[in-house]
Amino acid sequence: MPVRKAEAVWEGGLRAGKGVMKLESQAFQGPYSFPSRFEEGEGTNPEELIAAAHAGCFSMALAVALEREGFPPKRVSTEARVHLEMVEGRATITRIELLTEAEVPGISPEKFQEIAQAAKEGCPVSRALAGVKEISLEARLL
């Protein structure tokens, strides 16, 4: 399997400094700073990129799990919310909420929930982020 890469360059100190993150694929490049990470400033931040990775990974994991169970989805849409909070004086990702909606013909709500929970546990990004104390899932069948 391929190795994926991204790069970040930071210039200056914490509060006055600034940086740029970019993907090897060149599909994304964005500035980040103290305000964009710890306040509501313009630019991106590592947590937003983790959220994008988790949402994308989970959507794909759920789609394949549904398909394997005989319920190919029409659509899976996921929002990931990564919470960065201070814990013992250190910025910490404390929880991630996955909110997903899926159009899946012919599936019962109970079976959908069962498959969605298994996909959350098996998603490679969920597994990589297993150190996060809480990864919750709210799955809605449309």
Side-chain angles (χ1 to χ4, degrees):
M1 300 195 99
V3 173
R4 305 296 183 198
K5 295 183 251 176
E7 176 183 315
V9 175
W10 184 264
E11 297 173 342
L14 176 63
R15 291 193 182 267
K18 61 183 178 179
V20 173
M21 293 185 282
K22 60 183 170 181
L23 306 182
E24 177 186 40
S25 66
Q26 299 181 355
F28 169 81
Q29 177 174 316
Y32 71 116
S33 64
F34 184 91
S36 73
R37 188 165 192 198
F38 300 108
E39 299 168 353
E40 296 296 326
E42 289 187 30
T44 190
N45 54 71
E47 293 73 28
E48 184 175 54
L49 296 176
I50 288 170
H54 206 173
C57 185
F58 176 76
S59 289
M60 188 178 258
L62 180 54
V64 73
L66 288 162
E67 189 172 47
R68 282 186 182 148
E69 291 286 331
F71 302 101
K74 285 186 172 183
R75 181 176 180 273
V76 175
S77 173
T78 304
E79 176 182 306
R81 297 175 182 172
V82 174
H83 294 258
L84 184 66
E85 300 172 314
M86 295 302 288
V87 175
E88 299 175 359
R90 301 173 80 180
T92 304
I93 294 174
T94 56
R95 70 185 187 279
I96 299 171
E97 299 166 304
L98 296 173
L99 296 95
T100 195
E101 295 182 340
E103 291 180 54
V104 189
I107 194 170
S108 72
E110 297 79 19
K111 186 66 173 176
F112 173 71
Q113 291 298 325
E114 173 190 319
I115 294 170
Q117 288 296 329
K120 178 186 74 121
E121 302 301 324
C123 161
V125 172
S126 287
R127 292 182 18 225
L129 298 172
V132 175
K133 292 185 185 227
E134 180 186 345
I135 299 176
S136 67
L137 170 65
E138 181 182 312
R140 263 186 36 186
L141 182 58
L142 300 177

